[in-house]
Amino acid sequence: MSSSTNTRLNPEPESGTSPGTSPGAAPSPTERTGTREITGTTESTATRLTAELGLPHAESTSTLIAPLEAGELPNVAAIRGPRLDQILLLTTTALVVVIVGLLAALSVASTQSQFEETARRSTERIQEQARELGRTVGQTLALTSVTNLRDNNYAFLEGVAGSIVTTNPNILRVQILDPEGLVMADSEPKAEGGQDAEAPAPRTAEQRLVQAFYRNQPVYEIQEPIDYGSTSGKGLVVISYSLRSLQEQLEALERDKRATVRANTTRMLALGLGFVVLAGVVAAFQSRRITRPLGVLTGKVMQLAAGDLGARTQAAPGAGREVRTLGVVFNHMAERIKVLLDDVRAKAQLEREVSLARTVQETLLPGRDAVQVGPLRIAGLVVTADACGGDWWFRAALDDHRVVIGIGDVTGHGLSTSLVATSATSGFASAMTLREPAEVNAQMLITALNVTLANVGRGEHQMSSALAVIDVSNGYIDYAAGAHPSPFVYNKLTGQAASLPARGPLLGASVSSQFTSRQAQLRPGDIVVWYTDGLTESRDGSGRLYGTQRLAAAVQAHAHLSAEAVREALLADARAFSAGLPQRDDITVVVAEYSPV
């Protein structure tokens, strides 16, 4: 049955006393848990929280697998893939093929480059010949045409143009144009009706050489101006020079190029095939020389894996230094394996059990990150003294405005203790679902947790614990405890310190144990610190305890920080106080800061 609600938190106990005890009185034996003489510190970093608080799930930890027992051979027949000698042979062949292919590609590229250079030079030569011929013929015809153009003697010019085409097979057409672009003379016969076979395009009276087409044949058009004194400007001689000879030369070069490329490719293929055969023979010999002693060593390894600890290898004749070294190392390992096998089996079994226990424990513990629930910010952490610890803490949303916080410390240490702590955590979560959220309170939770622990531990394990149900909408806190240190409360706005004392026996001693709850009102700026006795019982080099006074001073010194920063500061202060000494017991710190707007 719950006691009456406190209107204010109890004042801070006097110096030298623990929260929840009267001045000068010794702490109750039921409020203390045993310390553990175990070195090393491991922080719990699991990240599972209830769905209501929205924290991520924890990643499962790996489990060490014990070595193969003697006689348990792996199925080597199921191993697929090429042998070492095949890999060497294929690698050598591929290397030779790549080299020959590169050489062939280089030869083809070189051949193509040579023929392209020849084609370019032939084109330039033909252009130069056309330019020289056109310039000579054009200038001669221009001089001849001056007088005849003045006298309008076009028939003579027609004859001259026709004779030029007749005497030079590379000249396909000769035209003489006046300044207006009209054809005065043309070697091409007239069309019916006396019209030109084709209308001339407008031209500029300037000296130039351009590529064009005449009767679907590529030609060079060579233009030469004629100055015959016309007021309209200069006339123009246009000579169409055939490129057929150039095309024939280029076609011949292309045929020669293809033939040369085919011949070079054939030679390179033959040479490459010879190289491949030679490299294959050399690679097969060398790979066999290397893999034979490796095969013998592999057989000895299989014998050792089958449990034949007397398997030994002999020096391999002709093998390299590395293979001989492997043989010596194998013999040494066989000697050592026989000595270490039993020890490894025992350790592997223990590590499997520890890993499984730690995985389950970390899955149920909240994560390191702080959680904000309305005006209440919660941050906690379990720092175990061994791989598995007996401390635990819990946080979960009960409904839209109430949060449950729990902390506990199982007596003893070892795997059994961690499993009991894990069961307590899961039992705590299950107790929240036994009734409707409106009916859940601290007394019901701690009573249900006691029954769970009594049934699981069967009287062999007890646990101290403190539970609290906090209404974040108004700061109302309902709390209960069983032989656990009272939470420390400090208001950072007023500087007042207090505690939340609650009496009760150790959990798990009896299913009929009775517990009561108490109530209090949190004020804006209150910082509540729950902790296990591993914190206050930390010792320095001279054996002095950390104590509640140093805890209170550390909280006051860091009250301006966030909840998670206060938690880290308390843990850091305890480590500094211990001055590097091994952690003797698990340490759990949970900080809740109530800061309504």
Side-chain angles (χ1 to χ4, degrees):
M1 183 174 181
S2 301
S3 62
S4 60
T5 303
N6 297 330
T7 57
R8 292 182 59 94
L9 298 176
N10 290 340
E12 182 183 15
E14 296 181 5
S15 175
T17 64
S18 299
T21 62
S22 60
S28 172
T30 59
E31 295 182 348
R32 301 170 62 88
T33 60
T35 59
R36 298 191 291 175
E37 302 289 341
I38 301 175
T39 60
T41 300
T42 305
E43 293 189 0
S44 171
T45 57
T47 55
R48 180 189 177 277
L49 257 186
T50 56
E52 293 84 349
L53 295 181
L55 292 184
H57 293 284
E59 298 182 358
S60 59
T61 57
S62 59
T63 302
L64 179 64
I65 300 177
L68 289 174
E69 298 290 339
E72 294 180 359
L73 287 178
N75 184 15
V76 295
I79 299 177
R80 298 291 181 242
R83 300 191 309 272
L84 180 59
D85 55 345
Q86 294 174 338
I87 294 176
L88 291 175
L89 182 59
L90 291 176
T91 303
T92 304
T93 302
L95 181 61
V96 172
V97 169
V98 170
I99 293 175
V100 173
L102 292 176
L103 291 177
L106 181 61
S107 176
V108 170
S110 176
T111 302
Q112 290 179 342
S113 176
Q114 292 177 359
F115 278 98
E116 289 173 358
E117 179 65 19
T118 302
R120 184 185 64 79
R121 291 179 180 177
S122 298
T123 301
E124 291 178 352
R125 185 174 64 254
I126 295 297
Q127 288 178 344
E128 186 63 24
Q129 291 176 357
R131 190 178 291 108
E132 291 296 330
L133 178 61
R135 186 179 296 111
T136 300
V137 174
Q139 290 177 355
T140 302
L141 189 57
L143 293 175
T144 304
S145 302
V146 170
T147 304
N148 291 281
L149 286 173
R150 290 175 182 173
D151 299 339
N152 296 325
N153 190 3
Y154 301 132
F156 176 77
L157 295 177
E158 292 274 0
V160 173
S163 63
I164 292 175
V165 172
T166 303
T167 56
N168 196 325
N170 288 328
I171 297 178
L172 302 181
R173 187 179 185 181
V174 177
Q175 291 178 300
I176 300 176
L177 309 178
D178 67 359
E180 302 298 330
L182 298 177
V183 179
M184 300 292 100
D186 193 345
S187 63
E188 184 72 18
K190 302 288 185 179
E192 294 183 3
Q195 300 297 326
D196 291 340
E198 54 181 322
R203 299 175 184 271
T204 303
E206 61 181 7
Q207 189 180 55
R208 66 175 183 173
L209 182 147
V210 296
Q211 283 189 341
F213 283 90
Y214 173 68
R215 292 185 177 180
N216 296 327
Q217 294 186 31
V219 296
Y220 282 138
E221 282 192 353
I222 307 166
Q223 297 183 175
E224 187 71 27
I226 306 173
D227 188 3
Y228 60 97
S230 173
T231 58
S232 300
K234 297 180 180 180
L236 192 65
V237 175
V238 181
I239 301 173
S240 297
Y241 188 88
S242 175
L243 295 179
R244 176 174 296 177
S245 60
L246 176 61
Q247 285 185 322
E248 292 175 350
Q249 292 182 24
L250 295 178
E251 290 174 357
L253 287 174
E254 182 65 24
R255 289 193 296 272
D256 292 342
K257 181 183 73 173
R258 292 177 181 175
T260 303
V261 169
R262 284 196 299 269
N264 289 343
T265 303
T266 302
R267 286 194 297 269
M268 293 302 298
L269 288 177
L271 182 63
L273 181 60
F275 280 146
V276 168
V277 172
L278 178 61
V281 173
V282 175
F285 173 77
Q286 285 295 103
S287 62
R288 184 61 178 168
R289 185 171 178 266
I290 294 173
T291 57
R292 184 185 294 111
L294 287 178
V296 174
L297 182 59
T298 302
K300 296 298 182 181
V301 171
M302 293 301 298
Q303 292 181 24
L304 181 64
D308 182 8
L309 300 182
R312 299 294 184 272
T313 183
Q314 304 297 327
R321 182 174 61 184
E322 293 82 359
V323 177
R324 295 196 301 271
T325 302
L326 283 176
V328 173
V329 173
F330 168 78
N331 292 337
H332 175 73
M333 289 175 58
E335 295 289 344
R336 296 292 300 164
I337 287 175
K338 186 174 181 180
V339 177
L340 299 176
L341 184 59
D342 291 339
D343 187 35
V344 169
R345 289 172 180 166
K347 288 184 178 180
Q349 179 64 27
L350 179 60
E351 289 181 2
R352 282 199 300 267
E353 296 176 357
V354 171
S355 178
L356 178 60
R358 181 172 182 82
T359 299
V360 175
Q361 188 176 32
E362 288 186 346
T363 303
L364 296 177
L365 287 176
R368 189 187 192 101
D369 296 335
V371 169
Q372 186 77 37
V373 183
L376 189 67
R377 188 171 184 84
I378 307 169
L381 186 67
V382 175
V383 182
T384 60
D386 199 1
C388 296
D391 280 12
W392 62 273
W393 79 283
F394 189 85
R395 61 186 176 190
L398 186 59
D399 50 35
D400 292 339
H401 57 87
R402 289 195 299 164
V403 177
V404 177
I405 298 176
I407 187 172
D409 181 5
V410 180
T411 58
H413 55 82
L415 289 178
S416 59
T417 300
S418 66
L419 293 177
V420 171
T422 301
S423 301
T425 308
S426 59
F428 185 27
S430 300
M432 295 174 55
T433 63
L434 295 177
R435 300 182 185 180
E436 294 296 326
E439 301 176 0
V440 175
N441 54 54
Q443 182 186 15
M444 185 273 290
L445 289 175
I446 199 168
T447 301
L449 184 57
N450 173 69
V451 173
T452 300
L453 187 60
N455 292 328
V456 172
R458 299 180 180 180
E460 298 180 3
H461 294 279
Q462 285 85 42
M463 175 180 67
S464 68
S465 180
L467 309 178
V469 179
I470 303 175
D471 191 330
V472 299
S473 64
N474 54 22
Y476 182 81
I477 179 171
D478 179 32
Y479 61 95
H484 198 84
S486 299
F488 177 74
V489 183
Y490 179 76
N491 190 281
K492 62 181 180 180
L493 301 180
T494 64
Q496 292 181 347
S499 64
L500 296 174
R503 295 290 184 178
L506 280 169
L507 279 69
S510 173
V511 294
S512 60
S513 297
Q514 297 296 318
F515 299 88
T516 60
S517 63
R518 303 183 68 181
Q519 295 77 37
Q521 180 68 45
L522 294 180
R523 294 168 297 180
D526 274 344
I527 298 175
V528 185
V529 179
W530 289 267
Y531 58 93
T532 58
D533 59 3
L535 175 66
T536 54
E537 293 181 0
S538 299
R539 297 179 182 271
D540 61 7
S542 61
R544 292 181 301 172
L545 294 177
Y546 182 84
T548 56
Q549 291 184 349
R550 186 178 180 96
L551 170 63
V555 173
Q556 294 175 21
H558 300 92
H560 62 285
L561 302 176
S562 62
E564 55 268 39
V566 172
R567 176 199 63 192
E568 297 299 327
L570 294 178
L571 294 174
D573 189 58
R575 285 193 296 267
F577 178 79
S578 299
L581 294 178
Q583 183 176 330
R584 301 167 61 90
D585 195 6
D586 301 332
I587 297 177
T588 302
V589 176
V590 181
V591 179
E593 179 185 0
Y594 182 66
S595 299
V597 178

